[in-house]
C-alpha cells in the first residue's frame, strides 16, 4: 500500500500529516533538551550536597576519621558524587545523540518536505495552466462555431433576398466561408489542446504525483524510524550508566556493612585512655575528737586564725567526678584521665 495509489487525491491531508510528523520530532527534541537540563541540575545539586557534607579537615588531622562510621559516611558521599557524574553523562549523551542529531535531522527533513511539495505544486500549477488553455480553446471553438453559423445564416438569407445585390451575396458567402474556416481551425486547436491536457492529466495523476507522494511517504517513514530510534536512545543513555550506578550503590552497601561498632569502641579507647588507675575509697575523717597538736606543729598544720588545716583527699574532691565540666586538667592526681 502506497500513498501515490491510495491517497492520490489527498494532497492537503498529506501536507498536514507530514507537517504533524515534523512537529512531533521537534517536540521530542524539546522534551529531551529539558530532560537534560533536569539531569544537569540534579547532578549539580548532588555535587553541592556532597561538598557540603564532606569533612573540611584532612584525614590525618581529624581524629574522627579513624572511626568506621566516619569512613563509611565519607565513602557514601564519594559514591553519591560518582552517581552525580553518571547523571551528567546521561545528560551529555542525550544532548549530543538526541538533541543535536535529531535537530539537524529535522532541518534536513523540513528541506526535503519543502522540495517535494514545491515540486507537487509546480506540477499542479502546470496542469491548471493546461486546463485554462483547454477552456480558452474550447470557448474560442464554441464562439467561432456560433459566428460561423450566424455568417452562414446571413449568407443564406441574402441569397434568397431578391433585393440583395450580387456583391452583397458574394460578400456574405465569403464571410460565411471565412467563419467556417476559423471554426474548423478552432476545432482542431481545441482537439489538440484536449489531447494534450488529457495526456498531461494522466501523467499528473498516474505518474508525476504518485511519485511525489511516494517520496513523501518514504520521507515520512524514514522520519518515523529515526524518531523511534531517538526514543530508544532515551533508554540506552540510562542503560549505559546502569553498571556504574550499580557499582555506586554496591559501594554504598559495602560502606554501610563496614560500620564496626566494636572497632569504633576500641578506637575511642586507644585515642583517649589515660592509663591511670581509678580512685580508691575515701577515708573516714573523724571530727568528733579534739585535735591536740604541739605548738611546734602549728606553723605547719594550723592557720594563723587557729583553725585546723584540712589535709588529704578532701581538698581534691572536685577532681573526682569524671563528668564535671571543671575536670579538664590535673586529674592525674586522682587517677582520672583528662576529659575534653
Amino acid at each position: 500500500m502506497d500513498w501515490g495509489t491510495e491517497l492520490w487525491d489527498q494532497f492537503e491531508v498529506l501536507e498536514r500529516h507530514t507537517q504533524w510528523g515534523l512537529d512531533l520530532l521537534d517536540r521530542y527534541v524539546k522534551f529531551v533538551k529539558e530532560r537534560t537540563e533536569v539531569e544537569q541540575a540534579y547532578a549539580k545539586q548532588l555535587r553541592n550536597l556532597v561538598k557540603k557534607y564532606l569533612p573540611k579537615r584532612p584525614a590525618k588531622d581529624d581524629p574522627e576519621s579513624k572511626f568506621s562510621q566516619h569512613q563509611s559516611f565519607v565513602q557514601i558521599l564519594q559514591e553519591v558524587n560518582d552517581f552525580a557524574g553518571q547523571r551528567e553523562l546521561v545528560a551529555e549523551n542525550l544532548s549530543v545523540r538526541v538533541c543535536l542529531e535529531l535537530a539537524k535531522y529535522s532541518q534536513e527533513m523540513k528541506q526535503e518536505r519543502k522540495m517535494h511539495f514545491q515540486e507537487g505544486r509546480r506540477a499542479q500549477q502546470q496542469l491548471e495552466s493546461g486546463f485554462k488553455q483547454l477552456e480558452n480553446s474550447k470557448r474560442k471553438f464554441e464562439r467561432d462555431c456560433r459566428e460561423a453559423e450566424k455568417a452562414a445564416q446571413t449568407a443564406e438569407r441574402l441569397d434568397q433576398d431578391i433585393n440583395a445585390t450580387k456583391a452583397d451575396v458574394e460578400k456574405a458567402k465569403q464571410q460565411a466561408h471565412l467563419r467556417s474556416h476559423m471554426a474548423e481551425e478552432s476545432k482542431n486547436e481545441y482537439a489538440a489542446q484536449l489531447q494534450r491536457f488529457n495526456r498531461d492529466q494522466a501523467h499528473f495523476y498516474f505518474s508525476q504525483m504518485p511519485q511525489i507522494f511516494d517520496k513523501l511517504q518514504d520521507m515520512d517513514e524514514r522520519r518515523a524510524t529515526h524518531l523511534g530510534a531517538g526514543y530508544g536512545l532515551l533508554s540506552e543513555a540510562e542503560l549505559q550508566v546502569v553498571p556504574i550506578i550499580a557499582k555506586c550503590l554496591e559501594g554504598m552497601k559495602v560502606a554501610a556493612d563496614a560500620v564496626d561498632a566494636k572497632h569504633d569502641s576500641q578506637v575511642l579507647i586507644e585515642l583517649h585512655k589515660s592509663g591511670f588507675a581509678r580512685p580508691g575509697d575515701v577515708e573516714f575523717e573523724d571530727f568528733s575528737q579534739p585535735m591536740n597538736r604541739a605548738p611546734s606543729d602549728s606553723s605547719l598544720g594550723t592557720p594563723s586564725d587557729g583553725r585546723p588545716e584540712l589535709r588529704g583527699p578532701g581538698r581534691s574532691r572536685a577532681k573526682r567526678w569524671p563528668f564535671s565540666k571543671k575536670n579538664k586538667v590535673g586529674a592525674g592526681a586522682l587517677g582520672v584521665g583528662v576529659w575534653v
Side-chain angles (χ1 to χ4, degrees), residues 254-271:
V254 170
D257 295 339
V259 175
D260 189 340
K262 295 293 184 182
H263 171 269
D264 288 356
S265 294
Q266 187 62 35
V267 168
L268 183 65
I269 292 172
E270 296 298 330
L271 285 174

Side-chain angles (χ1 to χ4, degrees), residues 78-142:
Q78 292 172 346
E79 297 295 349
V80 172
N81 193 62
D82 292 343
F83 178 86
Q86 297 309 304
R87 304 321 306 174
E88 290 174 340
L89 183 60
V90 169
E92 181 180 355
N93 287 339
L94 291 178
S95 177
V96 174
R97 300 187 62 190
V98 178
C99 295
L100 292 180
E101 292 186 7
L102 279 186
K104 180 181 178 182
Y105 184 77
S106 176
Q107 293 300 319
E108 294 174 355
M109 290 294 97
K110 289 176 182 178
Q111 290 298 322
E112 181 177 350
R113 175 182 178 276
K114 180 179 179 181
M115 179 186 67
H116 291 323
F117 278 103
Q118 285 179 342
E119 183 180 358
R121 287 191 176 90
R122 282 196 299 268
Q124 189 172 10
Q125 290 172 357
Q126 290 174 356
L127 185 65
E128 290 175 355
S129 176
F131 184 74
K132 289 180 180 179
Q133 292 177 2
L134 175 63
E135 287 295 304
N136 290 335
S137 63
K138 178 181 177 181
R139 285 194 295 270
K140 185 175 184 300
F141 172 51
E142 182 182 10

Side-chain angles (χ1 to χ4, degrees), residues 65-83:
S65 65
K66 299 181 182 297
F67 294 99
S68 64
Q69 305 162 53
H70 182 275
Q71 295 168 359
S72 293
F73 182 49
V74 171
Q75 183 177 350
I76 287 175
L77 290 175
Q78 292 172 346
E79 297 295 349
V80 172
N81 193 62
D82 292 343
F83 178 86

